[in-house]
Amino acid sequence: MRKHNGMRPQDVVILLWMSKQGNQPWKYADAAGMLKISQSEVAEALHRNLQAKLVDPTKKKVHKAALMEFLVHGLKYVFPAQPGALVRGIPTAHAARPLVDHIVAEHDIFVWPSPIGNMRGQAVTPLYDSVLKAIRTDPELYELLALADAMRVGRVHEQKIAEELLRERVYKHEFSQSTNP
Amino acid sequence: MNFHKAPTLERLSPLLNGLGPFQRYAIWVGNGILDVYLTDQAACGWRVPREAAFLLQLPSLMERYRWEEILKELGWQRLGMTETGFTRYSFKAHTALISTWPGEALNGRDRWYEDACFHCERILGNNGSELSVFSPLYLLATTLDSLPPREADLRYSESFARIAYLFAGRPELVEEIKKGFYEVRQHIQRELGLLLSHPDLEEALIHVLPQEEWYLSEVVIARMKEVSTSMVFS
């Protein structure tokens, strides 16, 4: 078995994308196409996630409890972020949906630096560069990534709300399945 | 009265107007009010939750029995209960947490709520709207009461974060505590003494304060120590 040399940011991006897929079947090519990364990177990331017990042995389903544990308690230590200079960009963390509906922060904004962004705020490095392209066609993924950023750079009460919203989204398919007859 | 933070109050205006006859009995509580009390112009801002919490101090028995019905008539829609004994309501595009006092807020566990309600301060918005809020002294006393047990992790406590921001962003707080009533001063002094002896205090302060302003933890600890070591005269 290949040695696990630590998690990479794309591993988290793939986990978030998989969590939103629910029980919908998907192929490596789908993940690669949607996340704008190569298929070999997808395979490598899934292998690392398997070793960390974050996905099941088929590598097609996320272990939701483990993912939540990692997002809440581990993400900010493994992939820390520090707000930087004021730049144009795409809003993230508490400045993006869904957290922006819960927190008032008109003058205190975090963004992913991007020339196509429509806001000015403190730069926060996204988990992985390709997400800036991936979120253009996937608003659900954008919400998950913004919430993950709130776990990385947010303050205590934002992290609490972000945790709740992440949990809702990660377990969404479980709930919808169990409530249907 | 605080004109500097008046926009905060204006943001609450639609909710206050929606409360109709209850508006004058409303006391604003919760996370949002901290923003009003950070007087240091260079203080790190407190990000305010959009959902405001109100206590309604209802004077008549009839209103105490019928307040939920009256709110419904005013157009408020009940969404559910929170763990802290507040009811979540939606009003037009806004949501708010509402409870009555005396009542089920904090499940009746907070011993300083009665005094805090009695010693409320009024704040005035630019648009002329007025609202009662807990004074900084009682905000601190009630927040100290809601701290997690000693063995719990302070880094994840919203109450602890609130205390840290209040001490960091309000230089006059130490003097305000010294001028407070004996019982509440004694309570604050005792609780701060316990907090200062917490083995993870420094680490937790660095965790809850903004990353780039970690040095504020020294300011917070110095101010807490000043309060906890000052003499309490009756």
Side-chain angles (χ1 to χ4, degrees):
Chain A
M1 200 178 207
R2 272 171 289 169
K3 202 177 153 196
H4 191 296
N5 285 321
M7 282 192 88
R8 310 273 167 84
Q10 62 266 37
D11 303 357
V12 183
V13 177
I14 288 178
L15 286 168
L16 292 172
W17 181 81
M18 285 168 69
S19 73
K20 105 188 162 54
Q21 294 304 105
N23 297 322
Q24 216 178 314
W26 58 274
K27 294 176 184 157
Y28 284 14
D30 301 330
M34 289 303 294
L35 299 172
K36 317 291 178 206
I37 55 178
S38 69
Q39 282 197 46
S40 61
E41 272 182 303
V42 172
E44 287 289 330
L46 287 172
H47 184 73
R48 284 189 294 270
N49 284 335
L50 175 67
Q51 285 184 303
K53 296 180 184 169
L54 285 157
V55 292
D56 75 349
T58 67
K59 299 186 203 169
K60 290 289 171 83
K61 271 189 84 176
V62 177
H63 284 161
K64 294 183 173 74
L67 174 61
M68 279 311 299
E69 184 188 14
F70 177 68
L71 292 173
V72 174
H73 299 293
L75 192 64
K76 57 179 171 276
Y77 299 112
V78 183
F79 303 116
Q82 188 156 11
L86 279 177
V87 293
R88 168 189 285 271
I90 299 166
T92 186
H94 61 273
R97 277 184 66 87
L99 215 48
V100 74
D101 297 334
H102 296 262
I103 305 278
V104 183
E106 280 100 357
H107 309 292
D108 183 14
I109 288 166
F110 291 159
V111 296
W112 291 324
S114 165
I116 60 155
N118 57 359
M119 285 185 115
R120 202 164 176 79
Q122 279 190 279
V124 170
T125 316
L127 267 175
Y128 196 61
D129 287 343
S130 74
V131 300
L132 294 175
K133 286 181 194 159
I135 57 160
R136 286 186 207 174
T137 51
D138 195 340
E140 240 184 299
L141 180 68
Y142 177 29
E143 286 193 359
L144 287 166
L145 288 163
L147 289 170
D149 271 0
M151 301 306 301
R152 293 164 75 210
V153 292
R155 298 182 190 160
V156 181
H157 59 292
E158 290 142 37
Q159 287 181 0
K160 289 255 166 85
I161 302 171
E163 179 185 346
E164 216 174 286
L165 295 169
L166 270 170
R167 201 175 294 280
E168 269 173 27
R169 281 159 178 74
V170 167
Y171 281 93
K172 185 173 76 177
H173 300 281
E174 300 281 321
F175 294 140
S176 60
Q177 209 177 34
S178 58
T179 49
N180 287 341
Chain B
M1 199 158 58
N2 192 318
F3 288 102
H4 174 62
K5 297 288 183 183
T8 307
L9 197 53
E10 275 158 30
R11 189 176 52 77
L12 298 177
S13 289
L15 290 171
L16 287 174
N17 293 336
L19 284 174
F22 292 142
Q23 186 178 341
R24 61 195 160 129
Y25 307 131
I27 302 170
W28 184 25
V29 293
N31 261 337
I33 51 175
L34 187 57
D35 188 46
V36 176
Y37 288 136
L38 300 184
T39 47
D40 184 345
Q41 295 293 308
C44 38
W46 178 256
R47 293 184 197 132
V48 183
R50 283 195 192 275
E51 201 171 59
F54 298 105
L55 277 183
L56 301 181
Q57 241 190 336
L58 302 175
S60 79
L61 208 55
M62 193 275 282
E63 281 163 330
R64 280 188 209 171
Y65 286 124
R66 285 198 60 222
W67 70 275
E68 291 198 276
E69 247 177 84
I70 297 169
L71 277 187
K72 200 177 167 185
E73 285 163 18
L74 290 168
W76 292 74
Q77 200 183 346
R78 195 180 200 273
L79 300 176
M81 289 287 290
T82 68
E83 285 172 7
T84 48
F86 281 80
T87 309
R88 181 172 278 114
Y89 281 94
S90 73
F91 178 74
K92 293 179 181 169
H94 311 274
T95 57
L97 302 173
I98 301 178
S99 189
T100 53
W101 183 261
E104 62 275 18
L106 281 179
N107 308 318
R109 277 185 289 118
D110 199 308
R111 58 198 142 145
W112 292 103
Y113 259 46
E114 196 173 346
D115 289 10
C117 289
F118 187 75
H119 296 286
C120 263
E121 286 191 3
R122 301 284 289 173
I123 56 168
L124 178 69
N126 284 340
N127 59 355
S129 54
E130 272 189 54
L131 182 59
S132 297
V133 286
F134 283 1
S135 69
L137 184 71
Y138 285 97
L139 174 65
L140 180 64
T142 53
T143 309
L144 280 166
D145 247 11
S146 61
L147 273 177
R150 193 170 166 74
E151 61 275 12
D153 196 337
L154 282 180
R155 293 174 306 160
Y156 299 103
S157 163
E158 285 184 63
S159 301
F160 177 69
R162 209 189 295 179
I163 292 166
Y165 274 78
L166 190 60
F167 271 101
R170 190 168 178 87
E172 60 269 44
L173 184 66
V174 174
E175 287 309 311
E176 285 169 338
I177 296 168
K178 286 179 184 171
K179 286 179 195 160
F181 284 107
Y182 173 73
E183 287 81 6
V184 71
R185 264 188 297 144
Q186 197 186 34
H187 164 72
I188 289 172
Q189 196 175 29
R190 188 179 53 242
E191 294 297 319
L192 283 181
L194 286 172
L195 194 57
L196 282 164
S197 67
H198 196 291
D200 299 327
L201 176 69
E202 280 182 50
E203 192 185 323
L205 278 172
I206 290 170
H207 198 91
V208 297
L209 290 166
Q211 209 166 0
E212 60 278 18
E213 297 188 75
W214 56 269
Y215 52 85
L216 280 173
S217 63
E218 288 172 21
V219 176
V220 173
I221 289 177
R223 287 178 183 164
M224 282 182 178
K225 277 186 179 160
E226 197 183 334
V227 175
S228 77
T229 54
S230 63
M231 294 287 284
V232 176
F233 296 108
S234 56

